[in-house]
Amino acid sequence: GDAALLRDTLLEAAPAGEAVAVATDPWGTHWRLDVTIRRHRKSVVVRTIRIVRSGEDLPRLVTCWML
């Protein structure tokens, strides 16, 4: 379904994408990554925000939305 497509596309894009650090706070560093999703001859850019918690190196998805 659509949720699986979104999840798979975002997971595939994360290592290859160019994430931009947007903020650092006591919880960690927040990163923005824009991902283009193509389906049925249409495309949309989905903006994702991830956090790498302080003391960790694993990015975690916080939120995403269509631009």
Side-chain angles (χ1 to χ4, degrees), residues 25-38:
D25 59 27
W27 292 276
T29 302
H30 303 259
W31 296 84
R32 180 185 70 226
L33 176 64
D34 293 342
V35 179
T36 301
I37 297 177
R38 292 179 177 82

Side-chain angles (χ1 to χ4, degrees), residues 26-60:
W27 292 276
T29 302
H30 303 259
W31 296 84
R32 180 185 70 226
L33 176 64
D34 293 342
V35 179
T36 301
I37 297 177
R38 292 179 177 82
R39 187 170 184 197
H40 303 300
R41 290 182 271 173
K42 296 182 180 180
S43 65
V44 65
V45 176
V46 175
R47 174 155 291 166
T48 66
I49 302 295
R50 299 164 190 260
I51 187 170
V52 177
R53 293 179 179 171
S54 298
E56 297 183 358
D57 59 1
L58 176 70
R60 299 168 187 264

